[in-house]
Amino acid sequence: MTPDPFSLKTPFYLFDFDAAAERVRLIQSLLPKNARLCYAIKANAFLLRALKDMDGLLFEVCSEGELEICRKLNVAPGRIVFSGVMKNREMLRKAVDYGVKIITIESLSHLDDLIAVLPQGKTQEIILRLSSGNQFGMGREDLVAAAKTAAKNPRLSLRGIHYFSGTQKKLSKIKEEIAFIEEFCRGLKAECGADISCIEYGPGLRFDYFSKDDFSLNTDDLAGFSEAVSESAFSYTVELGRFIASPCGTYITKICDIKKTDGQNYIIIDGGINHINYYGQIMAMKEPPCRLIKKTGQDTEQFQDYCVCGSLCTTADVIARKMRLASPAQGDLLAFNNIGAYSVTEGIYLFLSHALPSVYSVQNGTLRTLREMQETYLLNS
């Protein structure tokens, strides 16, 4: 870590912009020529500052707010895929006016609303989202109807299909889905005569937050995916969020109290589950990657197990039920790694009116404040 963590008020997030850019370049180097990487910014919109000008990278946006973030950061609209299960005419009009390259259609109403707001002489590229058995996208009947409507409308350019069924998937499941979606696209092309050439697919590559080994890249699954689509007649837009962002962030929190109750050692931190979210944490039974930063700088070998708890008034606020630490003391810091995805936006931030943590970035050794600590009692009163 470049900055002195004791010089900053805890808790806070620190995002490594250099690591994020390097991770994107590495993933791009392992994808086949017919695949283009798309970063789902819902994983961590703060990283957009580091990635927005990278060659060949697209950005998936799923809300009007995320679209405004892109506008604020001057993200080129030709690199934006506008997705999201809920779109109204106002949102679609803003996307069209901004010049968004591709809009995902998730219902027949989406298609009707887009046609209604499209200016005369304007052609909009679209992809149709196929449902994987949930509220996202369309079933086959509606999707075929949408494809036929699009094929007859000169203001719509149907590029392909969007498919995403979840995250943390095994390679065998990913290969099954590739075979399924390509067969579906071939059938749709034959039935509707549409030029279905592109598949936007979220493979949901696994990221193991709790592995003791370096699982940050998972090259085996990425290589397996690349091999499976490398000879495809379709071009792929590969949508990744968690897989890109997870290892690029650290959450720093201070040890505020240490006590022993009924034989159990407890550590109380000034953060909690309102700031820390590891996918698959399973009620704190798994130990997330964490390191103790001693205020005195003195190391010791007197290890003990501690139950690490946050500052919320709920018994659910347990980060790790058993974390082995070497003589922690009040004022020491705990640095939680692999926190780059979702935690900064997915926590229950308004509970108990605790302040929003500050957000910092480090790039080329320079620390930058992205967001100051903000009080939430103003929103709750």
Side-chain angles (χ1 to χ4, degrees):
M1 182 185 305
T2 301
D4 174 14
F6 291 100
S7 68
L8 304 173
K9 186 176 180 180
T10 59
F12 64 88
Y13 297 98
L14 179 65
F15 298 129
D16 189 332
F17 279 7
D18 296 316
E22 180 59 29
R23 186 164 179 80
V24 164
R25 282 191 289 267
L26 188 53
I27 293 171
Q28 287 177 322
S29 72
L30 295 172
L31 290 175
K33 293 180 179 180
N34 62 329
R36 188 175 183 183
L37 184 59
C38 180
Y39 175 55
I41 75 169
K42 61 179 174 287
N44 187 334
F46 288 101
L47 294 183
L48 196 57
R49 292 178 181 270
L51 306 179
K52 66 186 183 73
D53 296 320
M54 293 193 68
D55 291 341
L57 186 61
L58 298 175
F59 301 98
E60 188 205 31
V61 169
C62 291
S63 72
E64 186 175 354
E66 289 188 342
L67 189 63
E68 288 304 311
I69 291 173
C70 289
R71 192 191 302 272
K72 178 181 178 182
L73 296 179
N74 295 315
V75 176
R79 303 174 70 178
I80 295 175
V81 179
F82 187 39
S83 298
V85 68
M86 200 295 290
K87 301 185 189 75
N88 55 36
R89 291 192 179 187
E90 181 181 358
M91 293 166 63
L92 289 166
R93 184 178 289 109
K94 287 183 177 181
V96 170
D97 290 346
Y98 189 38
V100 165
K101 179 176 178 59
I102 295 175
I103 295 177
T104 299
I105 303 298
E106 299 218 14
S107 71
L108 294 175
S109 294
H110 275 190
L111 188 61
D112 291 340
D113 288 341
L114 176 60
I115 292 172
V117 303
L118 267 180
Q120 291 296 325
K122 166 73 174 179
T123 300
Q124 178 63 55
E125 293 185 32
I126 62 171
I127 53 178
L128 307 178
R129 183 164 186 175
L130 176 64
S131 177
S132 59
N134 47 44
Q135 73 270 35
F136 299 100
M138 295 175 278
R140 189 182 189 284
E141 183 177 346
D142 280 359
L143 193 143
V144 169
K148 289 181 177 179
T149 297
K152 297 175 183 177
N153 193 318
R155 292 189 295 158
L156 298 175
S157 175
L158 176 55
R159 296 296 312 280
I161 297 298
H162 181 190
Y163 189 77
F164 176 80
S165 69
T167 191
Q168 302 289 71
K169 288 181 287 192
K170 294 182 178 180
L171 181 58
S172 57
K173 176 64 174 177
I174 293 172
K175 289 183 176 180
E176 288 177 6
E177 290 185 344
I178 291 170
F180 162 75
I181 193 62
E182 290 197 1
E183 180 61 28
F184 180 88
C185 288
R186 285 189 288 268
L188 182 66
K189 187 173 182 178
E191 182 173 354
C192 302
D195 182 19
I196 306 296
S197 59
C198 178
I199 296 173
E200 180 176 339
Y201 176 59
L205 294 173
R206 293 178 297 153
F207 188 92
D208 189 343
Y209 291 103
F210 308 106
S211 175
K212 298 301 181 183
D213 300 320
D214 182 8
F215 199 81
S216 61
L217 184 57
N218 183 10
T219 54
D220 290 343
D221 284 0
L222 182 59
F225 165 77
S226 297
E227 181 181 3
V229 302
S230 61
E231 300 299 326
S232 174
F234 297 94
S235 63
Y236 273 80
T237 298
V238 184
E239 174 193 321
L240 294 173
R242 184 189 314 276
F243 191 72
I244 292 173
S246 291
C248 303
T250 303
Y251 174 75
I252 310 293
T253 180
K254 183 169 62 178
I255 296 176
C256 295
D257 200 3
I258 301 176
K259 56 188 176 181
K260 190 170 187 176
T261 304
D262 297 330
Q264 172 70 62
N265 293 320
Y266 287 96
I267 282 177
I268 307 298
I269 59 176
D270 60 1
I273 59 171
N274 51 332
H275 303 157
I276 304 174
N277 179 52
Y278 287 101
Y279 185 87
Q281 193 166 340
I282 314 177
M283 296 301 292
M285 295 307 294
K286 292 188 176 182
E287 182 180 340
C290 178
R291 69 184 186 277
L292 176 67
I293 304 176
K294 299 289 293 179
K295 188 173 185 179
T296 62
Q298 297 177 352
D299 295 328
T300 176
E301 295 300 323
Q302 297 178 7
F303 285 88
Q304 293 189 69
D305 293 331
Y306 294 85
C307 181
V308 180
C309 302
S311 54
L312 302 182
C313 290
T314 169
T315 55
D317 194 6
V318 180
I319 308 304
R321 296 194 181 278
K322 186 178 180 181
M323 182 176 290
R324 196 156 185 80
L325 298 170
S327 299
Q330 286 180 281
D332 289 348
L333 303 179
L334 291 178
F336 291 87
N337 298 326
N338 294 344
I339 210 75
Y342 294 107
S343 285
V344 69
T345 54
E346 201 174 42
I348 48 174
Y349 283 110
L350 297 185
F351 187 48
L352 289 176
S353 298
H354 284 285
L356 288 176
S358 299
V359 180
Y360 301 98
S361 67
V362 61
Q363 187 173 31
N364 297 324
T366 300
L367 183 73
R368 179 179 181 182
T369 302
L370 302 182
R371 183 184 74 194
E372 298 280 4
M373 186 172 286
Q374 297 181 10
E375 295 293 347
T376 63
Y377 71 86
L378 299 170
L379 301 175
N380 288 344
S381 59

